[in-house]
Amino acid sequence: MSELPEYIQLLKNGDRLAFNELVEKYQHKVFNTVLSITQQNQDVEDICQEVFLQIFKSIKDFRGDSKLSTWIYRVSLSKAFEFERKKKAQKRINYFKNVIGFEINEIQVPDFNHPGVTLQNKEKAAILFKALKKLPDNQRLAFTLIKAEGLSYEEVGEIMNNSLKSIEGLIQRAKENLRTILKPYYSK
Amino acid sequence: MKNESTNLIEDTLNSIDLINRAEASPFFSMKLAVKLNNSPSINEMPSKISLFIIATSLFLLLFMNTLILKQHIPKKQKEIDPSSYKESFSDLYDLNTHSTYYYDYKQK
C-alpha cells in the first residue's frame, strides 16, 4: 500500500488520513533509527517529530526515483546527523566559553542505554554503542542500519547510494575497527 | 587470557543482534497531529527563497528610487550674503578694488 503511486499521490495532495497511515507505519522504524544514530534518549522524540514534519512538507518533491521507505530513511538519517552536528558545535562553543572564563554548568550525559536491550545484555550493549561513536560516519551508519534496524544489505545500499559490495566492505571494516576499539577495554 | 578477551569482544559485537526495536511513545502520532495543525499549510507557506527575492527587490527598488531622485532634483543653491563674502575675503577684496582703481587712474 505504502509504495502505490495512488497512495503517494494522496500524500502529495496533503491528505491527512494518508499521512496518518504513513506515521503509523513508520514511526517505530524512524524512532529506532534516529535513536541508534544519535544515542540520545531525551531528544529522540523531538527529532522524529521533525522528521515527519519534514516528510509532510517535502513529500511533493519526492520524485519516486527510490522507494518511499528508502526516502523516509534518508530524511531520518539527515535529521539525525544534523542534530549530531548541532550538538558537537554546542560542545565546542561551551568548551571555548570555559577556556575564556565563562562558567558553564555542562550537564554530564550518562551512558546511552538502548531501551530495547535486555538486562543481562545491558553492559555489553552500552560498551558497544560507546565504541560505535568512534567509527567513521559511513561505517557507523551501515553497521547500525543492518544490525540495529535489521535492514538488508541491498536496502542499506539503496539508502546510502552505494553498491552491495561497498556495503559489505563497510561492515567488514566497521567490525575490524570495533574490535580494535574494544581491545584495550577488555585487556585491562 | 587472550582467548577470553577475544570472546568478550565477539560477545559485545554480537550483543547488538539481541536488541529489540525501540518504539516511539503511544502519544507520538497525537503530538505530531497537534504540531501539524499548528503549522501553516504548505501551500500557504512562502518558501525562504521567494521571501529573499521579495526582500531583495524591495531593497533594490528603494535604492534605485533614491539614486534617481538624487540625480534629477538639483541641489538647493546656498544664498551668499555679499557682506559676509567681503568679510571673509577682505584682503582679496581690497586688492581687487585697488587694482581696479590703479587701472582707472592710469587710463585717466
Side-chain angles (χ1 to χ4, degrees):
Chain A
M1 168 71 184
S2 67
E3 299 290 342
L4 288 175
E6 297 85 15
Y7 175 71
I8 293 169
Q9 196 51 52
L10 279 175
L11 288 170
K12 286 186 175 188
N13 294 342
D15 188 300
R16 283 294 177 89
L17 277 175
F19 186 71
N20 288 347
E21 204 175 303
L22 180 123
V23 174
E24 282 303 317
K25 186 168 181 198
Y26 287 101
Q27 60 175 322
H28 301 310
K29 289 178 183 177
V30 168
F31 187 87
N32 193 49
T33 308
V34 173
L35 180 73
S36 308
I37 294 293
T38 59
Q39 301 188 16
Q40 291 281 329
N41 289 314
Q42 306 97 315
D43 307 293
V44 66
E45 199 148 299
D46 288 336
I47 305 167
C48 293
Q49 300 258 327
E50 270 182 44
V51 168
F52 281 106
L53 287 173
Q54 182 68 51
I55 289 168
F56 188 75
K57 279 179 199 168
S58 48
I59 187 80
K60 58 179 164 44
D61 300 326
F62 173 66
R63 287 169 299 177
D65 298 341
S66 60
K67 282 185 196 167
L68 182 66
S69 57
T70 306
W71 184 71
I72 291 171
Y73 273 115
R74 281 187 193 150
V75 176
S76 313
L77 293 168
S78 91
K79 284 278 173 198
F81 280 112
E82 188 187 310
F83 172 81
E84 271 205 337
R85 275 195 298 276
K86 279 183 190 168
K87 268 264 170 198
K88 276 180 192 167
Q90 190 59 49
K91 255 188 183 175
R92 274 197 293 271
I93 291 167
N94 285 351
Y95 172 77
F96 182 69
K97 280 182 177 172
N98 263 333
V99 168
I100 60 168
F102 284 103
E103 244 182 70
I104 304 283
N105 294 324
E106 204 171 317
I107 301 157
Q108 285 297 315
V109 182
D111 280 351
F112 170 65
N113 281 315
H114 194 288
V117 176
T118 50
L119 199 63
Q120 67 265 32
N121 208 16
K122 212 170 179 175
E123 198 189 339
K124 279 176 191 157
I127 295 164
L128 180 65
F129 274 108
K130 218 174 189 177
L132 269 172
K133 281 253 173 188
K134 291 176 184 165
L135 286 183
D137 280 350
N138 55 356
Q139 290 177 23
R140 177 161 62 109
L141 186 58
F143 189 85
T144 310
L145 286 176
I146 287 168
K147 296 286 183 180
E149 186 49 29
L151 297 181
S152 67
Y153 280 62
E154 287 87 356
E155 283 172 308
V156 177
E158 268 183 50
I159 293 166
M160 293 178 70
N161 252 338
N162 275 334
S163 66
L164 194 67
K165 273 256 179 261
S166 71
I167 298 297
E168 283 170 354
L170 281 175
I171 294 293
Q172 198 61 38
R173 267 174 280 150
K175 281 184 179 171
E176 281 164 19
N177 284 336
L178 282 171
R179 284 189 190 103
T180 316
I181 296 164
L182 292 170
K183 217 176 214 168
Y185 186 86
Y186 285 114
S187 56
K188 276 176 200 169
Chain B
M1 181 67 186
K2 199 182 176 187
N3 254 351
E4 198 187 330
S5 72
T6 313
N7 285 343
L8 277 168
I9 289 169
E10 290 308 312
D11 279 355
T12 309
L13 275 181
N14 295 331
S15 68
I16 200 164
D17 295 329
L18 304 169
I19 294 173
N20 299 313
R21 176 179 277 161
E23 293 195 346
S25 80
F27 307 108
F28 182 83
S29 44
M30 214 163 70
K31 280 185 201 166
L32 184 67
V34 173
K35 275 192 184 173
L36 272 174
N37 286 333
N38 289 339
S39 69
S41 161
I42 301 309
N43 299 331
E44 291 163 17
M45 198 185 293
S47 68
K48 278 181 186 170
I49 297 165
S50 55
L51 267 176
F52 176 74
I53 292 167
I54 291 167
T56 317
S57 21
L58 259 174
F59 172 75
L60 277 176
L61 197 74
L62 284 170
F63 180 73
M64 292 303 283
N65 195 26
T66 324
L67 211 72
I68 291 163
L69 280 175
K70 260 191 175 175
Q71 277 177 353
H72 284 84
I73 298 172
K75 271 185 182 176
K76 222 180 176 183
Q77 291 289 325
K78 266 188 180 176
E79 280 178 28
I80 302 162
D81 177 19
S83 62
S84 73
Y85 177 80
K86 192 186 168 185
E87 271 168 28
S88 51
F89 300 101
S90 57
D91 293 344
L92 200 64
Y93 189 80
D94 288 346
L95 194 69
N96 282 339
T97 327
H98 177 76
S99 63
T100 316
Y101 169 77
Y102 183 69
Y103 175 76
D104 287 348
Y105 172 78
K106 264 197 112 176
Q107 265 193 344
K108 276 173 193 174

